[in-house]
Amino acid sequence: MAGSELRTARLLLRPVNWPDMEDMARLKADGAAFGSMLGGVRSRAQAEAEMAEDVAFWAERGVGIFSIIEQNRFVGMTGVHERPDGRGLGLRFALFPWASGRGIAREAAAVALNFVLDTGIERVVAVAREDNRASRLVLGSIGMSLLDQFERDGHTMLVYERRQTPFYW
């Protein structure tokens, strides 16, 4: 995990770890931030269990979920996890509502996605509700392509993917 911190002009992305637990628990309990995520808002116990999974995932795979820090303040999360539906590595991002609308999700998700693909992982997917225009705009703007759709809980879900682009001579 050392050396996996990523920086942009305004953001720091660092692999999520136990010092982020309080911020992550608040984010995952916020309906506006996490309500449309797979599984919805989380209890404290669920957030702690996911933190343990995320820390272990980083140790196993060398990729995972990042905390997004702007001006020394936790504003959200992005990165990849193993999707429970068997679709593979899935990109996720969520911000506190007060941090939304300034391009942070796009900036952070793009950097995280490029990091993951640069490790040699060939394919990353993302799933967004059809009516979640903001997430769909982020996914399109970071080079993810619409691949498929399915129904879940009465909602049309759109599946996006981005593959590592092979270089040919």
Side-chain angles (χ1 to χ4, degrees):
M1 212 160 57
S4 296
E5 284 190 351
L6 308 175
R7 292 187 182 273
T8 71
R10 66 176 168 162
L11 302 176
L12 167 66
L13 276 68
R14 66 175 182 234
V16 71
N17 211 323
W18 291 103
D20 300 313
M21 188 63 237
E22 294 306 316
D23 290 323
M24 196 63 76
R26 278 195 309 278
L27 178 71
K28 290 182 175 188
D30 187 317
F34 237 74
S36 65
M37 298 289 268
L38 182 61
V41 296
R42 308 314 200 251
S43 68
R44 173 65 186 223
Q46 289 170 315
E48 287 178 359
E50 287 181 355
M51 178 65 75
E53 291 168 8
D54 290 342
V55 170
F57 194 79
W58 267 108
E60 273 177 44
R61 304 285 295 270
V63 297
I65 300 295
F66 291 94
S67 291
I68 305 170
I69 310 300
E70 181 190 39
Q71 298 178 347
N72 296 315
R73 187 175 186 194
F74 179 97
V75 296
M77 54 79 76
T78 190
V80 295
H81 71 124
E82 193 68 42
R83 286 193 54 86
D85 58 13
R87 286 178 164 67
L89 279 185
L91 178 70
R92 313 181 88 189
F93 50 90
L95 298 177
F96 283 113
W98 51 261
S100 297
R102 296 185 288 120
I104 292 173
R106 180 182 65 248
E107 186 177 330
V111 170
L113 179 59
N114 288 334
F115 170 80
V116 170
L117 293 172
D118 286 348
T119 68
I121 290 169
E122 292 183 14
R123 176 179 180 262
V124 175
V125 300
V127 176
R129 278 181 30 176
E130 186 177 42
D131 62 2
N132 187 341
R133 189 171 186 275
S135 288
R136 292 177 56 202
L137 284 171
V138 168
L139 296 173
S141 73
I142 63 173
M144 298 196 84
S145 301
L146 184 59
L147 175 70
D148 197 9
Q149 69 181 46
F150 64 94
E151 296 295 317
R152 182 177 72 210
D153 300 329
H155 298 283
T156 300
M157 307 302 293
L158 303 178
V159 181
Y160 292 78
E161 77 168 357
R162 185 157 143 209
R163 292 184 173 272
Q164 201 177 56
T165 306
F167 181 78
Y168 298 103
W169 289 99

